[in-house]
Amino acid sequence: MLLIPCPHCGPRPETEFVYGGDARVKRPDPSNSSDEQWAAYIYERENPKGQHQELWLHSAGCHLWLIIERDTVTHAIGSVRAAREDQQ
Amino acid sequence: MVNERYSFLALAKHALTGHKNWQPAIRHPEPKDKYDVIVVGGGGHGLATAYYLAKLHGINKVALLERGWIGGGNTGRNTTIVRSNYLLEENANFYEHSLKLWEGLSSDLNFNVMFSQRSVINTCHTPAELESTMRRYNAMRLNGIDAEFLTADELKRRVPSINLGQDGSLRWPILAALSQPRGGVARHDAVAWGFARGADALGVDIIQNCEVTGFKRAVDGRITGVETNRGPISASKVGVAVAGHSGQVMAMADVRLPIESHLLQAFVSEPVKPFLDVVVSTGALHFYISQTDKGEVLLGGGLDGYNSYGQRGTIPNIQEVTSAATEMFPNISRLKWMRQWAGVMDMTMDGSPIIGKTPVPGLFFDGGWCYGGFKAIPGSGWCFAHTIATGEPHSLNASFTLERFGRSAVIDEKGAGPFPKAH
């Protein structure tokens, strides 16, 4: 069981969250992108054995989208921040 | 080296000498400098590939490299279900071919893989599920695959210990079920050992404790061999079948894959007397159940739900699977779990596997089996061997290319979209 330290609600069990996958995927510029860039956007993901930047939605809590750094072998959680901080 | 044939006569002969003179089933050769083909990965898929390369395509100078021991990864961790009850034509044709190979496998390999065609039954719990399952039933029959639609009463007669839940004990009572009578289970270790023994007898060098640490490339980029912890080995063709760690191995050749690694858990209980002679699975409640030859109740469920390489599994999934199982089979509620474990699944973006060429000339890839790799072992090895030997895919695996994602020509059996955890 992951205990995810939500910056808004505090530590909460993983069952309150929905997983959103690789946080480093960026939507290409619609006016200026190739088919290859769109295919990579839809189908290619980072899949590291170790530190992984990933999205989680606190769906049974504050509804914030979070970006969490988690180790995919030990499941230890490193940094946690609200995803909207990246967009500002 | 030709293996001694296993037979009743051989058993009787060796009984006279106290079973002390059996030959080892495979050799343990040192790697040579050069082979025609290198297969990376000594699970079921790699071993089957090596076997069919030697048997059907006459390529005997084959090295199979395994980092640990053969059959020690997902081949030894799965719940051994074999079926071909698919909706989409590409999947139906491929898995039905694999099922047909299963039906003759023990005799082909002269090794009892204990394939038991005891029926694989999917239960339906909602009107929508009933309709989609009926559609799949019709697709199966049109593709020439055996299938039976069972009413709730017929299911209860076939599986007396099941709780249909029509008294209100299930939130979604069982309305009907789809059965594939030719589906069933097999002995997972025997599949690895049988293919290994068969391949070895045809001259394949099975080299265990040999980890691939890099690929050797020519100036023009094509593959010329592999680097290993036991020195470099040359070959003009290399096939990779390393499910679970496909991403790590293919990254050494700069190939990115549309794959995420997720965990799937399985559980076995203490052994009890036989009470369940079919495989039952439910998509609505997220679990499946069978009883092993040893009497253990074997359970599995859905994915843990987020990227992981930790072969342990997490608590919420144990709770979900156990609660679903005890609702549908109340008679197992007081059994104790003996073991629980998890395997690392290559989850692709459309839920279907990849068998074929890669952007690197001479490098071939077989992976992305999601949680359905066991049943595919003979078919996958058969198709991958054809692809490596001829340089082109067979019609059975022509759709399962890596480049299908670039064309969005995905094979999405479940219609779940590019979300690996949802397949």
Side-chain angles (χ1 to χ4, degrees), chain B residues 79 185 276 278-280 288-292 296-299:
Chain B
T79 49
V185 294
L276 184 65
V278 296
V279 179
V280 178
Y288 52 94
I289 184 169
S290 64
Q291 190 173 17
T292 69
E296 303 148 330
V297 177
L298 175 59
L299 289 185

Side-chain angles (χ1 to χ4, degrees), chain A residues 19 47 49 70 72 75, chain B residues 245 256 306-309 312:
Chain A
Y19 182 60
N47 189 28
K49 188 175 185 177
R70 185 180 58 90
T72 58
H75 292 187
Chain B
H245 288 76
R256 273 171 70 87
Y306 44 87
N307 291 43
S308 179
Y309 290 87
R312 302 177 300 274

Side-chain angles (χ1 to χ4, degrees), chain A residues 39-58:
Chain A
Y41 165 65
I42 297 170
Y43 298 113
E44 285 185 12
R45 298 289 179 267
E46 293 298 324
N47 189 28
K49 188 175 185 177
Q51 295 300 323
H52 187 222
Q53 299 274 336
E54 55 197 26
L55 288 162
W56 288 80
L57 169 67
H58 196 181

Side-chain angles (χ1 to χ4, degrees), chain B residues 81-86 92 95-96 99 103 116-122 136-137 140 144-150 158 177-184 278-279 375:
Chain B
I81 297 167
V82 177
R83 59 185 174 86
S84 63
N85 53 359
Y86 282 82
Y95 287 106
E96 178 60 13
L99 182 53
E103 287 174 327
S116 161
Q117 293 179 289
R118 56 180 65 185
S119 301
V120 171
I121 295 176
N122 307 145
R136 186 152 58 92
Y137 162 82
M140 286 169 69
I145 297 169
D146 65 316
E148 287 175 5
F149 216 82
L150 307 176
R158 182 76 181 84
L178 171 66
S179 170
Q180 184 181 20
R182 283 163 64 243
V278 296
V279 179
K375 62 179 173 287

